[in-house]
Amino acid sequence: MQPDKLVMMVNQIATYFKTQPGTDQAECVAAHINDFWEPRMRTTLSQYYEDGGTGLSDLAKEAMAFLRVPAD
């Protein structure tokens, strides 16, 4: 999947969780991605973030710390 599509998707997820109460929104974004995205998508997103993450929302960037990325 193309990185721009993944950026759009993760930003949509982050937009939803940003409206939820509490202080664990970044963890919730990552949990959703970890639960529902296939490993290749998570790997592509992680690589995109490491390459600068242009276009990722602040909350999406925070969530990257909690993302489970498969080992090579």
Side-chain angles (χ1 to χ4, degrees):
M1 184 172 286
Q2 294 298 319
D4 57 333
K5 178 78 170 174
L6 295 176
V7 168
M8 181 189 70
M9 292 167 58
V10 73
N11 283 342
Q12 288 175 333
I13 294 165
T15 297
Y16 169 76
F17 282 109
K18 188 174 183 176
T19 67
Q20 301 305 300
T23 59
D24 64 343
Q25 289 93 351
E27 291 95 332
C28 290
V29 171
H32 179 87
I33 293 168
N34 290 331
D35 288 345
F36 296 106
W37 287 24
E38 67 177 38
R40 289 179 297 171
M41 293 169 69
R42 288 183 274 139
T43 298
T44 301
L45 179 62
S46 176
Q47 289 171 346
Y48 184 79
Y49 172 72
E50 290 176 14
D51 290 340
T54 303
L56 289 172
S57 70
D58 290 340
L59 184 55
K61 289 178 181 178
E62 289 177 43
M64 297 305 297
F66 304 99
L67 192 67
R68 288 192 315 260
V69 180
D72 292 331

